[in-house]
Amino acid sequence: MVVASSPTPNRIEKINSFDVPIIDLSCKRSLVSELVVKASEEYGFFKVINHGISKDITDRMEEQGLNFFAKPALEKRQAAPPSPLGYGTKNIGFNGDVGEVEYLLLHTNTQSISQSSKSISNEPLSFHTQLKKKLHVFLFLEKNLDSCVVNDYIEAVRNLACEILELMTEGLHVHDNKCVFSDFIRDIDSDSLVRLNHYPPYKDIMDTSPSSQTNRIGFGEHSDPQILTILRSNDVGGLQILLEDGTWVPVPPDPIAFCVNVGDTLQVLTNGRFKSVIHRALANSVKPRMSIMYFAAPPLHACISPVPNTITPEKSSLYRPFTWSEFKKTAYSLRLGDTRLDLFKAQTDENFA
């Protein structure tokens, strides 16, 4: 049985400016690797520049997203409801979380779904239903978005995620297999996703929903369950990360950088050395904000456990082995702010004292 952690107690919020680590990927590789590890350990968050993704690719993807969200609501709902793929608005997940956001959630691997569809007649009815929903979303995507633009963007950010993950393994001195993390998302069955979030201007929220004047949350505080997130937004602020001392740090938009944040699964793979960052988005601007996230995830059947060199006589494994499917199911059963990883901690003698 899954038991959610206790809700985060009300706290007096501290919001301060902070110099978010910015890492130039064109610098000497050994230095970049060291900086990536340091930022992942201290904050679970950093920005990268000179990442090799052309402005044309990002501009075209942003244009596609903005064009989609500008469509009439009835037309956008052709991709709804999100289950979890598709179009959604207000409701975030299935457990009562809400925000001032509309979004489009897409799987990144059309080839995997295409292969699955060949054996659909031999699969249980439940799988048949889910596959039909997935295929419906992809048909909608082909009709309403330029699939070439989306695929180009996915390929570019996937390659960037792999590069960053390999820099991490080098910095962690995983000499036997530098692709131990990146192989998860190169796998044809990778469960990686792309999500586009669109936040209306706060002035529009106030005009249409007076009760929301005291609640400017676009997307509530949470960590990402996947391995790694590559995020980009337009020139409107709203993203904030939470430091260990309880301080919220605004992350200014950057036209040339990508934001990178450590997810829950990477925290497990590094045996707690890297920190899964808690973050949120505020709907507090006079202009609409759109962000595009690539969630790098392993295949559903992949077994997740700390890599061997993070386990030492002084530091045993903090987490029990689990599959991504098991962890994902748990994440979807909880609310945004619940602590998922506590449910997967390794049992020690102290647990039975």
Side-chain angles (χ1 to χ4, degrees), residues 55-70:
K55 186 174 183 297
D56 177 62
I57 288 177
T58 56
D59 285 351
R60 288 190 293 135
M61 183 64 180
E62 184 174 305
E63 180 182 10
Q64 288 292 310
L66 290 173
N67 287 344
F68 170 79
F69 289 117

Side-chain angles (χ1 to χ4, degrees), residues 12-60:
I12 299 175
E13 289 193 353
K14 297 183 292 182
I15 301 179
N16 292 324
S17 60
F18 172 79
D19 291 330
V20 173
I22 300 176
I23 300 175
D24 186 344
L25 295 183
S26 68
C27 291
K28 185 178 179 181
R29 189 171 181 87
S30 59
L31 173 61
V32 173
S33 179
E34 179 183 331
L35 293 174
V36 165
V37 167
K38 186 174 187 291
S40 299
E41 290 176 329
E42 294 183 356
Y43 310 112
F45 185 92
F46 53 93
K47 291 182 178 182
V48 293
I49 58 174
N50 290 321
H51 38 69
I53 299 179
S54 72
K55 186 174 183 297
D56 177 62
I57 288 177
T58 56
D59 285 351
R60 288 190 293 135

Side-chain angles (χ1 to χ4, degrees), residues 8 10 35 103 109 111 124 126 139 151 155 163 166 171 179 200 205 209 220-221 224 229 257 270 274 304 306 336 347:
T8 303
N10 291 330
L35 293 174
Y103 61 89
N109 199 335
Q111 184 178 359
S126 60
L139 289 173
N151 288 334
E155 181 180 4
E163 180 182 359
E166 288 164 14
C179 300
I205 298 171
S209 179
E221 64 179 84
D224 294 335
T229 302
T270 61
F274 291 177
I304 308 300
L336 277 178
Q347 292 183 334

Side-chain angles (χ1 to χ4, degrees), residues 84 93 103 122 137 150 165 171 185 191 201 219 223 259 261-262 269 286 303 321 325:
Y103 61 89
N122 298 321
V137 172
V150 176
L165 289 170
I185 61 175
D191 193 40
F219 207 107
S223 61
C259 295
N261 67 267
V262 171
L269 290 169
V286 295
C303 184
S325 176

Side-chain angles (χ1 to χ4, degrees), residues 58-255:
T58 56
D59 285 351
R60 288 190 293 135
M61 183 64 180
E62 184 174 305
E63 180 182 10
Q64 288 292 310
L66 290 173
N67 287 344
F68 170 79
F69 289 117
K71 293 178 179 291
L74 187 62
E75 190 172 343
K76 287 184 286 191
R77 291 194 186 104
Q78 292 178 30
S83 56
L85 303 178
Y87 171 77
T89 181
K90 302 288 186 181
N91 293 320
I92 303 169
F94 308 102
N95 302 293
D97 292 297
V98 294
E100 298 298 340
V101 62
E102 59 176 341
Y103 61 89
L104 183 63
L105 186 63
L106 305 168
H107 204 285
T108 62
N109 199 335
T110 54
Q111 184 178 359
S112 175
I113 292 180
S114 176
Q115 288 185 343
S116 299
S117 66
K118 295 176 183 178
S119 60
I120 191 170
S121 60
N122 298 321
E123 295 293 338
L125 179 61
S126 60
F127 177 79
H128 179 274
T129 302
Q130 290 300 316
L131 186 57
K132 283 178 66 179
K133 290 179 180 178
K134 290 182 179 181
L135 292 174
H136 170 76
V137 172
F138 277 104
L139 289 173
F140 178 85
L141 170 63
E142 291 179 356
K143 178 181 177 182
N144 290 271
L145 300 176
D146 187 330
S147 59
C148 290
V149 171
V150 176
N151 288 334
D152 287 348
Y153 185 85
I154 288 172
E155 181 180 4
V157 291
R158 180 192 292 122
N159 289 339
L160 175 59
C162 287
E163 180 182 359
I164 292 169
L165 289 170
E166 288 164 14
L167 285 164
M168 289 174 171
T169 56
E170 292 172 25
L172 291 171
H173 307 294
V174 183
H175 300 298
D176 55 335
N177 182 9
K178 77 169 187 176
C179 300
V180 65
F181 298 154
S182 58
D183 279 348
F184 282 122
I185 61 175
R186 286 197 177 98
D187 193 296
I188 189 173
D189 293 322
S190 165
D191 193 40
S192 300
L193 303 170
V194 165
R195 179 177 179 126
L196 293 84
N197 283 348
H198 181 256
Y199 304 92
Y202 183 51
K203 63 179 180 62
D204 290 354
I205 298 171
M206 292 178 64
D207 290 344
T208 59
S209 179
S211 62
S212 68
Q213 293 185 24
T214 58
N215 179 14
R216 302 187 301 171
I217 297 296
F219 207 107
E221 64 179 84
H222 65 286
S223 61
D224 294 335
Q226 293 88 356
I227 297 174
L228 198 73
T229 302
I230 306 291
L231 177 148
R232 177 174 179 81
S233 67
N234 60 359
D235 61 351
V236 179
L239 176 63
Q240 296 184 345
I241 62 172
L242 184 66
L243 302 185
E244 286 189 347
D245 66 359
T247 301
W248 283 103
V249 175
V251 180
D254 189 325

